[in-house]
Amino acid sequence: MGTTTPPRTLAEALRARGDESLAGLLRARPDLLSPVPNDITQLATRAGTRASVVRALEHLDRFALQTAEALAVAPDPAPYDTLLALLTGDGQGDGEGRDGSGATITAALPAALTTLREQALVWGEDARLHLVRTARELLAPSPQHPSPTGLGPTVAEATAGMSPGRLQEILAAAGLPATHDPVSAVAALAGLFTDRTRMAELLDTAPAEALSVLDRLVWGPPYGEVTPNPTPPVQWLRDRGLLLPVSTRTVVLPREAALHLRAGRAHRVPEPVPPELMAAAERDPQAVDRAAAGQAFMALSTVEELLKLWNHGGPAILRAGGLSVRELKRCASALDVSEPVAAFWIELAYAAGLLASDGETDERYAATPASDEWLDLAAQERWTHLATAWLTATRTSGLIGGQDAKGRALSALGPDLDRSAAPEVRRRVLALFASLPPGTAPDPQTLLARLRWERPLRTSRPGGPPSPAGAPSPDEATDLRSRLALWTVNESELLGITGRGALSSQARALLDEGPAEAAARLAPLIPEPLDHVLLQADLTAVAPGPLERPLADMLSVLADIESKGGATVYRFTPGSVRRALDAGQAASDLHAFLATHSRTPVPQPLSYLIDDVARRHGHLRIGAASAYVRCDDEAVLNEILADKRSATLRLRRLAPTVLAAQTDPGSLLEGLREMGYAPAAESAEGDVLITRAGARRTPPRTPPAPVPEGPPVPDATLLSAAVRAIRAGDTAARVVHKDTPDSTATGSLPRTTPAETLATVQAAAMTGSAVWIGYVNADGAASQRVIAPVKVEGGFVTAYDHTADEVRTYPLHRITGVAELADEETA
């Protein structure tokens, strides 16, 4: 137990870890828990699968990835000093500038190695560092996919299959002694390339053009094409093995020669420390909070206006799903914003559960019942609801207008907009904002540089796992995180997360303390809603601030919004007044409403407008015949029939005061209104039909579920239970037992008679010893277990199961057999 034998496999390295270290591995790579491995060996096997290793590599920072890339081109195993030399160089400069000095790299390398070890990508002691085989294959060079380091294959790999005669020619040209052993010949050539003195002497004799060829290949890619009759400089390099053939037209610069030319460095620019996040501007924190609060209020107003716009039922859903381009343009025009911004608000309302499909045969978008509950909340609570939905949403509005992998257009509210990395990028961008002092706006370029260092871009390799739902295409993945970061910066400004480019205090509270504290911080900055407007003689009303909801709802029916900003201007028109009358208001109700809520006297022109429209409203009555027009004034009907614009309605007179139309009542209403009349719809009993606003709602809908990026991170309870189960399974799998004759013959479960099983279990219960059993459960699944029997009675054995790490009861008739464990000294 006191020996310190180095691990020989990854499983042995994992087995030597403590429980806290294993829990850290499972936390960093939660895919290893799906399902929970039976033992350490299965955990190590799963940790070496291609899909799991690719996912782990994609979550490394730049320097940890560079460390893994250096190990991929180092010997296996590699001593710590060899790895350090690949990152810092051999101390002899090559004329290339570097950001990371040797001292900085030396200081940062232990932490990078610790990260790789914790994630089971590297194992072994410092004297024998092993990169897991799958990671080495992913990062190793090949003609189709060169190594990220830009290095090619070793001399031994590049000369595999080369004829002994050709090897002798290379040795002779390089001035090396001849040998008939191919292995010795390859070793001699590799030794030449790794000897700085002899290699420098060889390159001193090279033509200048040959050195230019090497300069083009040294930092990668190391492969080049040659003609059947190569130029003299290329032929000089080929004769001396500095370019080795890969195929008839392709040559490669061997790794040992490239490392000499690079002064021993695997990377051109090692990046041991993250780029510094620079400040673009410093502003007053209180001014930032006020600006963010103002934008938050505008966000709430915009979403409310969107809900009103689709209050009677929104646009139809495309057959392929989503919103048509025409409807998006119409919505953008109504909201007075650009189309991308309109798409953002629509997607945000959808993510917050305020909009959804109505599920009807003629499927349309409409407000949900949850939108009414949202509108009843205080302004600050409505904002935290929207901000929280935005933080967790995987749907990405910035993709709208682009194309998917099959060349199809991506539409608002349509499919294929989920990007599972979006929530993580949003939170990381805001965390970088929060790392700066209050009121400081970060520089976008340094922000992107920092994000790229934390998650270096990785391209897909052939044979990799298929992309999961919510994953971008390989081409899109190359800059997805950068685009998500830029979209986050823009969207956070629109939503009021940031103000004037800096993170607000209410957003800091939302990230650190939760929605309740964020709402408390925002509440004093949101203006109180007003209960009055200012009526003006030019048939307009000015709202000097936000209005109380009942007042705003009524005013939006009675008047049209002419402009928005710090103050909202409403304009009264005959059409808007008729809209209020259609909603069931009488002229006296409108006069009383305006007198109550205006701080200025009601202008006489507005009173005349209301009375005039009310006098004409309902003079014409329209019902279903399929449709008819009824009016007590025959002259009005004569005027309609004589108007050429009524031709499309196909009217004919049924009686002096009645016209019939070959169209539906709704179309007839709209047609007559366009002609300047104020008709009213009536029921079969002759009563005027009142149109109530806000009548259409979808059935109860849940917001769209975010598409997770891989398995969720397990909590501490699950991690603790998983580690115990893996430890217990490993103990049971590695325990040494005495074979029974039947188990030796079958090579699987122990086999004993029922009498032998009962006697052995009873004896183990009396002595307190553990036994090895074969067990078949109710589903017919067979397993091996190590148990310590406690009680045997009634055909059942109650025992502590070392495999499951808990006390269980087993029916004796399901135990296939029992075997005693080997003695301690035998084990």
Side-chain angles (χ1 to χ4, degrees):
M1 297 295 293
T3 60
T4 57
T5 304
R8 296 169 296 176
T9 62
L10 176 60
E12 290 186 5
L14 294 178
R15 192 169 288 120
R17 289 190 180 191
D19 289 351
E20 186 176 346
S21 178
L22 279 183
L25 168 62
L26 298 177
R27 186 183 298 107
R29 298 174 64 177
D31 57 291
L32 301 180
L33 276 177
S34 302
V36 176
N38 292 331
D39 51 36
I40 294 290
T41 301
Q42 191 175 95
L43 174 64
T45 302
R46 194 175 296 173
T49 58
R50 189 180 187 89
S52 182
V53 171
V54 167
R55 190 176 291 112
L57 289 175
E58 289 176 347
H59 285 77
L60 295 177
D61 62 49
R62 175 79 69 185
F63 189 60
L65 184 59
Q66 287 183 333
T67 302
E69 292 166 354
L71 278 173
V73 298
D76 187 28
Y80 182 89
D81 291 341
T82 299
L83 173 61
L84 181 61
L86 283 171
L87 292 169
T88 60
D90 55 16
Q92 302 188 34
D94 57 353
E96 294 283 347
R98 285 182 286 167
D99 292 338
S101 66
T104 306
I105 294 172
T106 303
L109 182 56
L113 266 180
T114 299
T115 299
L116 296 174
R117 281 192 174 111
E118 288 177 348
Q119 299 204 24
L121 294 172
V122 170
W123 57 277
E125 299 178 344
D126 284 355
R128 296 176 60 85
L129 294 171
H130 298 266
L131 183 68
V132 294
R133 182 178 59 188
T134 307
R136 181 174 290 272
E137 293 171 354
L138 287 166
L139 300 175
S142 68
Q144 294 77 21
H145 297 276
S147 165
T149 61
L151 291 170
T154 62
V155 172
E157 294 167 345
T159 57
M162 182 178 289
S163 66
R166 177 59 184 148
L167 281 173
Q168 297 303 318
E169 292 176 0
I170 293 176
L171 293 180
L176 298 173
T179 176
H180 297 290
D181 181 12
V183 176
S184 300
V186 170
L189 188 59
L192 169 64
F193 293 160
T194 54
D195 188 321
R196 291 201 65 86
T197 302
R198 290 191 295 158
M199 186 65 170
E201 293 174 354
L202 176 63
L203 293 177
D204 286 342
T205 64
E209 295 83 355
L211 296 178
S212 298
V213 172
L214 293 178
D215 288 341
R216 290 197 295 270
L217 299 177
V218 63
W219 289 109
Y223 297 90
E225 292 189 0
V226 295
T227 60
N229 298 313
T231 60
V234 173
Q235 188 62 49
W236 189 93
L237 295 171
R238 293 185 64 179
D239 290 344
R240 288 153 182 79
L242 290 169
L243 292 180
L244 294 173
V246 176
S247 64
T248 55
R249 296 182 60 88
T250 305
V251 293
V252 64
L253 176 65
R255 186 181 306 169
E256 293 87 346
L259 284 173
H260 170 85
L261 296 170
R262 296 178 175 199
R265 287 188 287 117
H267 295 89
R268 191 169 196 164
V269 182
E271 298 181 60
V273 294
E276 183 182 358
L277 184 62
M278 305 297 292
E282 296 183 3
R283 299 184 171 91
D284 179 17
Q286 293 183 352
V288 168
D289 290 347
R290 290 194 297 269
Q295 193 57 46
F297 179 77
M298 290 298 299
L300 296 178
S301 301
T302 304
V303 174
E304 290 173 12
E305 190 171 347
L306 175 63
L307 294 176
K308 289 179 182 178
L309 185 64
W310 291 3
N311 213 16
H312 298 284
I317 299 177
L318 295 174
R319 182 180 303 176
L323 203 63
S324 68
V325 175
R326 181 180 61 184
E327 292 293 348
L328 179 60
K329 289 181 178 179
R330 183 177 300 172
C331 182
S333 176
L335 297 178
D336 194 22
V337 295
S338 64
E339 292 174 35
V341 174
F344 167 70
W345 294 122
I346 292 171
E347 285 289 343
L348 178 61
Y350 178 63
L354 308 180
L355 295 176
S357 162
D358 60 9
E360 301 292 337
T361 304
D362 181 20
E363 202 170 13
R364 292 179 174 273
Y365 291 108
T368 63
S371 66
D372 296 318
E373 300 175 4
W374 180 77
L375 289 169
D376 290 335
L377 296 174
Q380 60 270 19
E381 293 175 351
R382 280 181 281 149
W383 179 80
T384 57
H385 182 83
L386 292 180
T388 303
W390 173 75
L391 279 174
T392 58
T394 54
R395 292 184 62 85
T396 309
S397 64
L399 297 171
I400 295 171
Q403 294 183 336
D404 62 10
K406 297 182 179 179
R408 296 173 300 194
L410 296 171
S411 59
L413 299 178
D416 300 326
L417 290 180
D418 284 290
R419 295 296 180 267
S420 55
E424 186 266 334
V425 173
R426 289 193 193 107
R427 286 197 172 271
R428 186 56 194 150
V429 168
L430 296 182
L432 291 175
F433 270 77
S435 67
L436 296 174
T440 304
D443 175 60
Q445 294 304 317
T446 59
L447 179 70
L448 291 179
R450 179 65 170 267
L451 289 174
R452 292 191 186 106
W453 187 91
E454 292 178 351
R455 291 288 186 273
L457 301 179
R458 296 281 301 138
T459 55
S460 300
R461 301 291 295 264
S467 298
S473 64
D475 292 337
E476 180 188 341
T478 56
D479 67 341
L480 177 63
R481 288 182 65 85
S482 296
R483 292 196 292 160
L484 285 173
L486 292 176
W487 291 333
T488 297
V489 172
N490 295 333
E491 292 169 2
S492 60
E493 192 76 17
L494 284 174
L495 193 52
I497 299 285
T498 59
R500 302 180 66 186
L503 192 67
S504 64
S505 62
Q506 52 266 30
R508 291 175 187 267
L510 179 66
L511 295 173
D512 299 335
E513 304 173 57
E517 182 62 25
R521 297 278 186 90
L522 180 63
L525 303 174
I526 294 289
E528 290 292 332
L530 304 176
D531 61 353
H532 65 273
V533 294
L534 305 176
L535 295 178
Q536 302 187 106
D538 60 349
L539 298 181
T540 61
V542 177
L547 300 178
E548 293 180 348
R549 187 181 171 193
L551 173 58
D553 289 344
M554 181 59 192
L555 202 57
S556 65
V557 175
L558 180 57
D560 297 323
I561 296 178
E562 189 169 79
S563 65
K564 295 180 292 185
T568 304
V569 178
Y570 295 86
R571 178 164 293 281
F572 299 94
T573 65
S576 67
V577 174
R578 188 204 69 237
R579 188 169 62 228
L581 297 173
D582 286 343
Q585 300 292 326
S588 58
D589 298 331
L590 300 181
H591 287 302
F593 170 79
L594 294 175
T596 302
H597 294 286
S598 176
R599 286 288 178 89
T600 57
V602 178
Q604 193 177 53
L606 180 56
S607 299
Y608 286 168
L609 174 65
I610 293 173
D611 292 338
D612 183 58
V613 174
R615 178 179 51 81
R616 294 184 293 111
H617 184 262
H619 195 49
L620 295 175
R621 299 292 184 89
I622 294 177
S626 66
Y628 64 83
V629 181
R630 180 171 64 84
C631 183
D632 294 336
D633 190 343
E634 296 183 29
V636 174
L637 296 183
N638 292 334
E639 182 181 345
I640 292 174
L641 287 174
D643 195 324
K644 294 181 179 180
R645 293 175 294 176
S646 67
T648 57
L649 303 177
R650 291 178 292 178
L651 299 170
R652 63 187 179 89
R653 190 185 293 274
L654 296 181
T657 58
V658 179
L659 300 178
Q662 298 183 36
T663 185
D664 62 274
S667 300
L668 185 55
L669 273 170
E670 291 300 322
L672 291 177
R673 285 171 179 169
E674 291 176 359
M675 293 171 62
Y677 298 95
E682 70 177 11
S683 66
E685 291 77 19
D687 299 325
V688 174
L689 293 176
I690 297 173
T691 304
R692 297 289 184 187
R696 184 158 185 170
R697 289 291 181 269
T698 71
R701 294 280 193 258
T702 57
V707 177
E709 187 178 19
V713 177
D715 57 23
T717 303
L718 177 58
L719 285 175
S720 178
V723 170
R724 289 199 306 270
I726 293 171
R727 291 288 192 199
D730 197 56
T731 300
R734 296 172 60 240
V735 72
V736 181
H737 53 79
K738 295 179 180 178
D739 291 329
T740 64
D742 289 339
S743 69
T744 302
T746 60
S748 56
L749 300 178
R751 300 285 181 177
T752 57
T753 65
E756 292 173 335
T757 298
L758 179 60
T760 305
V761 170
Q762 287 176 333
M766 294 177 61
T767 60
S769 58
V771 292
W772 174 54
I773 67 170
Y775 181 74
V776 179
N777 64 16
D779 297 327
S783 61
Q784 304 177 35
R785 299 177 179 273
V786 176
I787 65 172
V790 177
K791 182 175 60 175
V792 182
E793 63 179 13
F796 292 88
V797 55
T798 301
Y800 176 76
D801 189 332
H802 289 275
T803 307
D805 196 23
E806 64 183 7
V807 176
R808 290 184 175 180
T809 300
Y810 297 101
L812 284 170
H813 68 275
R814 293 193 178 277
I815 297 178
T816 65
V818 183
E820 297 178 0
L821 299 183
D823 296 333
E824 288 287 337
E825 58 270 23
T826 306

